Amino acid sequence: PRSTQSRSSAASDVYKRQVTFEALRAEGWLEPYRSPNVEGIPKEFVDPDGTYVGTKVMASIIVVNTKEVTNLPDSWHVFTAPETRGKAIMPSPLYSGAAAYNLGVFVRQPEFGWKFYEDMKANGVVVGKGNGGVLTAVAGGEKAYGMLVDFMAARAKKDGSPVDFVYPKEGVPVITEPIAIVKGTKNPKAAQAFVDFVLSEEGQKLAAELGYTPIRPGITPPEGLRPVDSLKVLTADPKEMAKSREQEKEKFANLFR
């Protein structure tokens, strides 16, 4: 990091290099700090040791092209259904941090596991690059179904794209763009103040204005997005996912090559 802001916010370029902040902590980058504004934030989004905490909620959902799909699906298994063969796309965990997190979560769910990915491969699901490519393919009619982060689908729908989206009944993987303070920062008081602001009611309202679901319950999310306390979240041990991330990405690459 080359500035106080990048140190205190654990900037997104760092996030892209690390699926979770567990790896950053394991490498000794993070300074423990528990903001008083952590109170009220769902515990599953707060590091119990106080080194990082989520700042917003971005759930992966199913997006559809409304010209091609009239009945919204309610299950992730739409990606493996015979009637959708060759009609779906998902982001690649080799390019997308959210997709890498999804992979780690899905393979640890009894209802999904690696079989879910094997069945998607057999059903002709296409692997794009990032979430932007998924949205382009679905909004443009190239594909009828896609796996996408919810805020992108909501923005596209609001802007008039022929898309709609649904939160599957089994639950959704959620990424939270954690915030932390880098160990050794030259201005710890300023870094702490920034963390406090991001997690405050004012900061969370700003996140909503920017189009994201606030991580603090009680603050209205943008139109079409579900509030955090209404989400059924699919979870997995972040420490375990951080350790096996590269092996899982390699297995995915071999499966979809």
Side-chain angles (χ1 to χ4, degrees):
R2 288 183 285 271
S3 71
T4 299
Q5 180 178 9
S6 64
R7 291 184 178 202
S8 63
S9 64
S12 60
D13 63 330
V14 175
Y15 174 74
K16 291 175 183 177
R17 294 199 301 270
Q18 307 288 350
V19 174
T20 76
F21 272 34
E22 285 297 329
L24 297 176
R25 179 171 63 174
E27 293 171 8
W29 285 28
L30 305 183
E31 186 73 39
Y33 174 63
R34 186 175 180 86
S35 169
N37 292 331
V38 163
E39 301 304 323
I41 294 176
K43 291 181 179 179
E44 60 265 36
F45 304 136
V46 180
D47 172 40
D49 295 332
T51 53
Y52 63 86
V53 57
T55 62
K56 58 180 70 76
V57 172
M58 293 177 285
S60 287
I61 46 79
I62 300 170
V63 63
V64 303
N65 181 294
T66 53
K67 295 180 179 180
E68 302 292 333
V69 180
T70 55
N71 296 317
L72 283 178
D74 65 354
S75 170
W76 289 114
H77 293 293
V78 70
F79 288 98
T80 62
E83 61 269 22
T84 67
R85 181 173 178 79
K87 298 180 179 180
I89 183 171
M90 64 177 169
S92 171
L94 307 181
Y95 292 91
S96 163
Y101 182 81
N102 291 348
L103 176 65
V105 170
F106 276 126
V107 299
R108 288 171 173 80
Q109 306 302 312
E111 185 172 351
F112 296 103
W114 277 104
K115 187 176 187 303
F116 180 51
Y117 285 89
E118 292 164 359
D119 289 347
M120 284 197 288
K121 167 68 173 179
N123 206 44
V125 175
V126 170
V127 179
K129 288 190 176 180
N131 281 274
V134 171
L135 179 58
T136 297
V138 175
E142 180 184 345
K143 297 295 178 183
Y145 303 86
M147 189 181 296
L148 185 68
V149 287
D150 59 354
F151 76 92
M152 293 182 68
R155 287 177 181 175
K157 181 179 178 180
K158 184 179 180 180
D159 290 342
S161 292
V163 299
D164 204 351
F165 62 100
V166 63
Y167 294 83
K169 61 185 179 183
E170 297 93 353
V172 292
V174 166
I175 58 173
T176 62
E177 285 198 346
I179 191 168
I181 299 173
V182 171
K183 185 169 290 187
T185 183
K186 295 180 180 179
N187 196 336
K189 293 296 183 183
Q192 291 174 6
F194 182 67
V195 171
D196 292 345
F197 170 75
V198 171
L199 301 178
S200 70
E201 184 174 339
E202 182 182 0
Q204 290 291 289
K205 286 180 178 178
L206 178 60
E209 291 174 8
L210 294 174
Y212 302 104
T213 300
I215 203 164
R216 178 176 290 281
I219 299 175
T220 303
E223 182 180 355
L225 298 181
R226 286 189 182 180
V228 62
D229 50 2
S230 74
L231 291 175
K232 181 179 180 181
V233 180
L234 297 177
T235 62
D237 183 350
K239 294 183 177 66
E240 183 182 334
M241 287 195 293
K243 291 178 181 178
S244 59
R245 175 197 179 208
E246 294 305 320
Q247 295 94 321
E248 288 166 0
K249 287 170 61 176
E250 182 178 358
K251 184 172 180 177
F252 178 93
N254 289 333
L255 177 61
F256 281 90
R257 65 183 175 184

